[in-house]
């Protein structure tokens, strides 16, 4: 019983610290956060913080996982009543762009400092975007079926769509503009290329 209570308290502390770290990442960015600053903001010792998160990178990874889960749930809810596969794909792209557009500081520091930052995180830890890739692959299969197309590898196509979206986000970070308005052009460009040989 005591061990179970300790685990619940630890999980609650992790969640509270993660919430505070998330606010900091969104307001100030990744680079400026130190574990000392976060410990002070959370009113815990640095040692206690390191017992919950081994590093700033692990803390950021936990934040990214939480954000992917939130966006994924939002996309699934938005698509629940939708029947058109194209509209489902568009909703996915639009909500991902909407999420990033609301939190540019979160991606600006890592991408500006190291364009492969997120790739490296995905190689070190379990890929937090996998739920999104799997869902995207389902939607692409649905789209292909509705249009009498046969994708060779829907999961690979989803990774390619993600790459196109990330490139668009990098351009937006550097040059500005309306990221959300690019949702349909990006999806249309991707679908035209992905299925150009399929008919």
């Amino acid at each position: 019983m005591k061990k179970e209570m300790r685990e619940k308290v630890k999980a609650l502390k992790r969640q509270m610290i993660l919430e505070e770290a998330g606010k900091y990442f969104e307001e100030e960015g990744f680079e400026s956060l130190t574990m000392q600053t976060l410990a002070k903001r959370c009113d815990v010792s640095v040692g206690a913080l390191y017992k919950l998160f081994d590093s700033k990178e692990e803390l950021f990874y936990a934040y990214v996982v939480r954000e992917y889960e939130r966006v994924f749930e939002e996309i699934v809810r938005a698509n629940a009543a939708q029947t058109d596969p194209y509209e489902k794909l568009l909703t996915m792209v639009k909500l991902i762009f909407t999420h990033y557009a609301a939190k540019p500081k979160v991606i600006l520091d890592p991408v500006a400092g190291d364009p492969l930052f997120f790739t490296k995180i995905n190689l070190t830890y379990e890929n937090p975007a996998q739920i999104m890739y799997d869902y995207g692959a389902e939607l692409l299969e649905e789209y292909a079926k509705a249009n009498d197309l046969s994708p060779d590898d829907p999961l690979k196509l989803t990774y390619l769509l993600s790459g196109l979206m990330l490139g668009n986000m990098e351009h937006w970070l550097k040059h500005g503009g309306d990221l959300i308005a690019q949702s349909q052009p990006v999806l249309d460009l991707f679908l035209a290329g992905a299925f150009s040989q399929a008919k």
Side-chain angles (χ1 to χ4, degrees):
M1 183 71 164
K2 284 183 180 178
K3 184 180 177 184
E4 195 176 300
M5 284 299 291
R6 279 196 302 270
E7 289 302 315
K8 285 183 180 178
V9 169
K10 184 178 178 180
L12 184 60
K13 282 182 183 175
R14 270 183 66 94
Q15 190 58 40
M16 290 170 63
I17 288 168
L18 189 54
E19 286 293 328
E20 194 59 39
K23 288 178 195 170
Y24 194 97
F25 289 139
E26 291 165 18
E27 293 164 9
E28 306 293 333
F30 172 78
E31 284 301 322
S32 63
L33 179 69
T34 65
M35 295 298 263
Q36 291 78 9
T37 303
L38 183 60
K40 189 173 180 180
R41 278 181 70 146
C42 295
D43 200 24
V44 297
S45 71
V46 175
L49 186 56
Y50 275 108
K51 284 182 181 175
L52 297 169
F53 297 97
D54 289 340
S55 65
K56 183 169 90 166
E57 286 72 24
E58 184 187 323
L59 180 63
F60 188 71
Y61 171 77
Y63 166 80
V64 170
V65 168
R66 186 192 69 183
E67 291 303 301
Y68 266 114
E69 288 170 353
R70 286 179 175 176
V71 176
F72 175 71
E73 288 168 9
E74 188 179 346
I75 291 166
V76 170
R77 271 195 312 274
N79 277 338
Q82 182 60 257
T83 57
D84 182 346
Y86 175 85
E87 290 300 326
K88 288 182 183 180
L89 283 164
L90 184 57
T91 295
M92 182 180 75
V93 173
K94 194 175 287 185
L95 286 175
I96 291 170
F97 277 175
T98 299
H99 187 73
Y100 279 108
K103 302 176 183 194
K105 275 280 192 187
V106 174
I107 53 173
L108 181 58
D109 283 347
V111 170
D114 180 1
L116 298 177
F117 181 87
F118 289 104
T119 303
K120 288 174 185 173
I121 278 190
N122 291 344
L123 293 174
T124 306
Y125 302 99
E126 187 177 321
N127 189 341
Q130 194 60 52
I131 54 171
M132 209 75 81
Y133 290 138
D134 293 339
Y135 181 68
E138 287 175 26
L139 295 184
L140 283 170
E141 281 187 290
E142 196 179 325
Y143 173 84
K145 187 177 179 183
N147 291 281
D148 294 322
L149 303 167
S150 334
D152 291 334
D153 187 343
L155 187 58
K156 181 179 179 183
L157 287 178
T158 306
Y159 275 84
L160 295 174
L161 173 58
S162 175
L164 183 59
M165 291 170 66
L166 280 172
N168 205 271
M169 284 187 272
E170 282 188 60
H171 182 273
W172 165 73
L173 284 169
K174 189 165 181 75
H175 302 286
D178 186 344
L179 179 62
I180 301 163
Q182 291 301 306
S183 303
Q184 188 163 1
V186 165
L187 179 60
D188 290 346
L189 178 65
F190 168 76
L191 291 174
F195 296 107
S196 61
Q197 304 298 318
K199 287 192 174 181

